């Protein structure tokens, strides 16, 4: 067909995939068209899942979108033109094709790789029919001061360009080889099909040669034109991304996000360059279209330049039963009130030279100096500041300084491990990193983004090597000088502006960044204060970092015990007693793993330690299930303390609470699961019932005895997930309250309104006999003599899963009952006892030395990993440790 614009005006033959005929056969009228444009070295085959899903949605009665997926000229099965086609020509080619097709609006573009650039060029040129834009791993800007990614630099070397891209399939094979997970052979062959032979691969080399490496490149003016046009688009936008892409790095996502600040963004952690193969792009696309363009256009009253989350909040704000109309006190209000007090604010037990005490006066002054110094350095409201600092005075001062000037603190637990921390920091894309030597070393070695500030003084060579620009001492001195001339700090941030991104533990998948506003952090402080009567004058021992950081906000004396925060089991009973004595503490908060070791080391306590612990009035343990036996042992150490175990998550730190008496009374109940008590103040708990497939599809209910996904709503629930549009959507699906949250936990309410947790949604088993939640059978199995902890998992296809029990042995010292050193099938007597206790058919009983657990808490059994291991072992694989 003729090309209407551009230097090439010859008639050309295109290959494309078009669902118009299939929709006509279904008898449905399209609400619009999705124009899909592939990149290099793929073809329209890349979009096969989008075409398939579009027809599935149409058949089920959903919005019918026509999908047109093109093979660009010289690519796929389209004509080989023999002419160099620069970016401007390719944009013109696509425009000529859509003119020939008579494509009318509404049109939503979907592009990948350099097809993303071409599709956005088309979008800029066709505002009259454009309804939205969607992209996967693409870029519209290459800064002069940053080199293009290494794989492209290599491919562009003159001695390699033709050989790697045309004469051999090396470029194509490299692209196919970086898929995550590895492509099936049939799929890889599908991508290879149009490119067999050098004569078919000229377009691959041409595309690589057309990459604008700098402003002198022939295609640079067109790329600049498109980039400027993208910034002016006022239609809904979706940016989906595979972070493991070695070519389209996250700086390109940052640039697109800045040009399209209203865009909805979803990062598929673990996915790479071939995103439509690596992740469910098709499902995300049609979910997004259904929300943003349900009939092919933006619903009346919606602003297309607002992200979807903002529309949800606006639409339901008046129905929020948990919202408050009273402005909350700033998070640092208590610190301000106590700034003239010489009473202790913080006590560091692990400080060099012995415990170090910081007064409220000193803390307030240091926060002011840090705030002024950071502001003077150029840290601005909304800037992201990653804090790679161990809990203590430095972390507290920097955190409250950032909060004061409106910077967004990024807190990722060191317990995530190096790989988890890397994913978290790269995903959050901080503008600044403040860290101790280990964190700065990791940042330098692994290429974490952000300008760097060290917590300690460093020699000049070390500063250069680590790319450290300033130290905290420099920042404080700078702030002190500024404050001597002016006491002005930036205005106190508004309550609805972001204050922090807190990363989840990663125990149920890649750690997610949870965004809290200033108002929501204030609500967390207020609910803790009200629930546990913590405030000015309270002494608080916090062996759990998130709780420790709230101490100054509560006006409480905070004590950081001597322990390795990355290994909770390093906390000892003597360290807790010393912390209590140092600050005359009356409240102790420990993770279950830390508590277990405290109980295990109780024999080391002397009379003074016991006297100190006797002054504790409240003991809290949360983060994972806590048994009545462990709570009882803890109260024997703290005999005057009321023992509580709150239920919550990073997205909502306190949802329900139960004390030891409640745990004991629950033990006599027939209810399945772990009782986590009654909702805290201003918290609403409901259940989304499970269907036969184990999916929580039912209408929310608070009826007793209904098992399903636990849904909570409260003023202190998180604002959103960071750059995870689809996860946000899933967490609020069917929840009318904007402060509502689907927890991912499964459980039920009893007749007294108490909540019982039965496991995680992803661990629900679907057997031939029905749906099974794991915690109940695990509890019964753990009652078998000789069994420590247990994990119940499913193997096989959903709907026909077989149940497997994996147990730790608890030895009694005899040779026959010593814990096994290797995994094995359970001996017949143990297997029989476990089967009798489980209350459901078991396909196998396996024993292991230690069950795999999460990193942060060291106590949540990793059932997903256990299921993979059991599947491999029972399929004939080696009996290795899980």
């Amino acid at each position: 067909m003729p090309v209407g614009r551009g230097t090439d005006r010859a008639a050309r033959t295109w290959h494309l995939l078009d669902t118009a005929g299939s929709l006509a056969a279904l008898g449905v009228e399209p609400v619009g068209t999705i124009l899909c444009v592939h990149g290099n070295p793929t073809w329209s085959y890349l979009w096969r899942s989008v075409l398939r899903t579009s027809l599935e949605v149409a058949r089920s009665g959903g919005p019918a979108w026509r999908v047109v997926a093109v093979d660009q000229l010289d690519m796929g099965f389209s004509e080989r033109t023999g002419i160099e086609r620069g970016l401007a020509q390719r944009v013109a080619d696509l425009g000529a094709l859509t003119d020939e097709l008579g494509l009318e609006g509404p049109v939503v573009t979907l592009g990948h790789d350099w097809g993303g650039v071409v599709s956005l060029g088309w979008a800029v040129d066709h505002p009259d029919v454009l309804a939205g834009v969607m992209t996967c791993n693409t870029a519209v800007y290459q800064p002069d001061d940053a080199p293009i990614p290494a794989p492209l630099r290599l491919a562009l070397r003159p001695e390699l360009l033709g050989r790697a891209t045309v004469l051999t399939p090396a470029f194509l094979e490299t692209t196919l080889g970086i898929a995550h997970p590895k492509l099936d052979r049939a799929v890889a062959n599908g991508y290879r099909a149009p490119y067999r032979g050098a004569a078919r691969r000229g377009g691959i080399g041409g595309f690589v040669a057309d990459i604008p490496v700098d402003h002198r490149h022939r295609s640079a003016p067109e790329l600049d034109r498109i980039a400027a046009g993208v910034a002016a688009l006022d239609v809904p936008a979706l940016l989906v991304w595979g972070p493991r892409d070695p070519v389209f790095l996250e700086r390109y996502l940052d640039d697109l996000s800045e040009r399209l600040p209203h865009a909805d963004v979803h990062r598929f952690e673990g996915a790479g360059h071939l995103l439509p193969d690596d992740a469910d792009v098709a499902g995300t696309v049609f979910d997004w279209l259904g929300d943003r363009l349900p009939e092919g256009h933006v619903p009346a009253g919606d602003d297309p330049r607002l992200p979807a989350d903002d529309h949800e909040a606006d639409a339901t704000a008046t129905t929020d039963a948990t919202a408050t109309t009273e402005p909350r006190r700033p998070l640092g209000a208590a610190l301000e009130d106590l700034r003239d007090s010489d009473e202790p604010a913080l006590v560091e037990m692990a400080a060099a030279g012995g415990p170090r005490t910081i007064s409220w006066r000193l803390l307030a002054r240091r926060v002011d100096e840090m705030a002024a110094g950071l502001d003077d350095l150029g840290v601005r409201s909304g800037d992201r500041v990653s804090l790679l600092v161990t809990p203590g005075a430095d972390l507290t001062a920097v955190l409250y300084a950032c909060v004061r000037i409106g910077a967004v603190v990024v807190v990722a637990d060191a317990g995530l491990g190096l790989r988890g921390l890397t994913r978290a920091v790269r995903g959050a894309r901080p503008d600044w990193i403040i860290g101790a030597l280990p964190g700065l070393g990791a940042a330098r070695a692994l290429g974490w983004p952000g300008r760097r500030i060290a917590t300690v003084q460093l020699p000049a060579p070390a500063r250069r090597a680590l790319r450290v620009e300033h130290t905290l001492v420099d920042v404080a001195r700078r702030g002190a000088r500024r404050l001597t001339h002016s006491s002005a700090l930036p205005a106190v941030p508004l309550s609805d502006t972001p204050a922090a991104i807190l990363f989840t533990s990663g125990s149920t998948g890649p750690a997610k960044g949870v965004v809290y506003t200033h108002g929501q952090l204030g609500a967390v402080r207020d609910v803790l204060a009200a629930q546990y009567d913590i405030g000015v004058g309270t002494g608080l021992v916090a062996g759990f970092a998130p709780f420790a950081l709230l101490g100054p906000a509560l006006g409480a004396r905070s004590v950081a015990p001597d322990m390795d925060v990355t290994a909770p089991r390093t906390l000892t009973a003597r360290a807790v007693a010393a912390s209590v004595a140092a600050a005359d503490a009356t409240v102790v908060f420990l993770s279950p793993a830390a508590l277990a070791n405290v109980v295990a080391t109780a024999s080391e306590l002397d009379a003074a330690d016991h006297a100190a612990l006797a002054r504790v009035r409240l003991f809290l343990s949360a983060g994972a299930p806590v048994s009545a036996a462990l709570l009882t042992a803890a109260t024997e150490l703290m005999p005057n303390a009321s023992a509580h175990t709150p239920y919550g998550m990073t997205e909502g730190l306190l949802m329900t609470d139960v004390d030891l008496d409640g745990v004991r009374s629950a033990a006599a109940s027939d209810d399945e699961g772990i009782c986590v008590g009654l909702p805290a103040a201003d918290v609403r708990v409901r259940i989304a019932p499970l269907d036969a497939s184990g999916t929580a599809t039912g209408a929310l209910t608070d009826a007793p005895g209904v098992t399903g996904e636990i849904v909570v709503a409260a003023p202190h629930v998180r604002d959103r997930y960071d750059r995870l549009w689809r996860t946000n959507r899933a967490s609020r699906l069917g929840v009318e309250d904007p402060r509502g949250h689907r927890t991912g936990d499964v459980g039920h309410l009893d007749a007294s309104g108490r909540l019982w947790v039965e496991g995680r949604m992803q661990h629900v088993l679907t057997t031939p006999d029905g749906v099974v939640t794991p915690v109940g059978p695990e509890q019964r199995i753990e009652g078998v003599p000789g069994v420590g902890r247990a994990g119940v998992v499913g193997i096989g296809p959903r709907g026909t899963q077989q149940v497997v029990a994996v147990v730790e042995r608890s030895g009694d010292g005899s040779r026959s009952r010593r814990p096994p050193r290797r995994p094995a099938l359970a001996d017949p007597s143990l297997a029989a006892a476990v089967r009798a206790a489980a209350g459901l058919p078991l396909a196998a009983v396996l024993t292991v030395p230690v069950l795999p657990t999460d990193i942060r808490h060291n106590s949540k059994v990793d059932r997903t990993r256990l299921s993979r291991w059991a599947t491999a072992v029972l399929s004939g694989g080696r009996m290795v440790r899980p």
Side-chain angles (χ1 to χ4, degrees), residues 679-725:
D682 294 329
V683 175
R684 185 179 187 187
V685 178
R686 288 178 293 174
I687 303 296
L690 299 180
D691 61 19
S693 69
T695 306
T697 56
L700 300 186
T701 180
D702 55 9
V706 177
T707 296
E709 184 173 11
I710 299 167
V711 181
V712 297
H716 57 285
V717 165
R718 58 95 181 106
D719 187 63
R720 65 184 184 279
Y721 293 108
D722 184 45
R723 289 184 166 188
L724 291 171
W725 175 83

Side-chain angles (χ1 to χ4, degrees), residues 562-574:
D562 187 357
M563 64 178 292
D564 180 352
V565 295
T566 68
R569 294 181 188 273
T570 60
L571 184 62
T572 66
R574 294 213 68 181

Side-chain angles (χ1 to χ4, degrees), residues 143-171:
D144 287 337
D145 61 351
I148 63 171
L152 294 181
R153 291 201 304 274
L154 181 65
L156 281 165
R157 292 175 61 177
E159 67 272 22
L160 289 179
L161 177 57
R163 187 182 306 167
T165 61
V166 180
L167 295 179
T168 72
F171 188 84

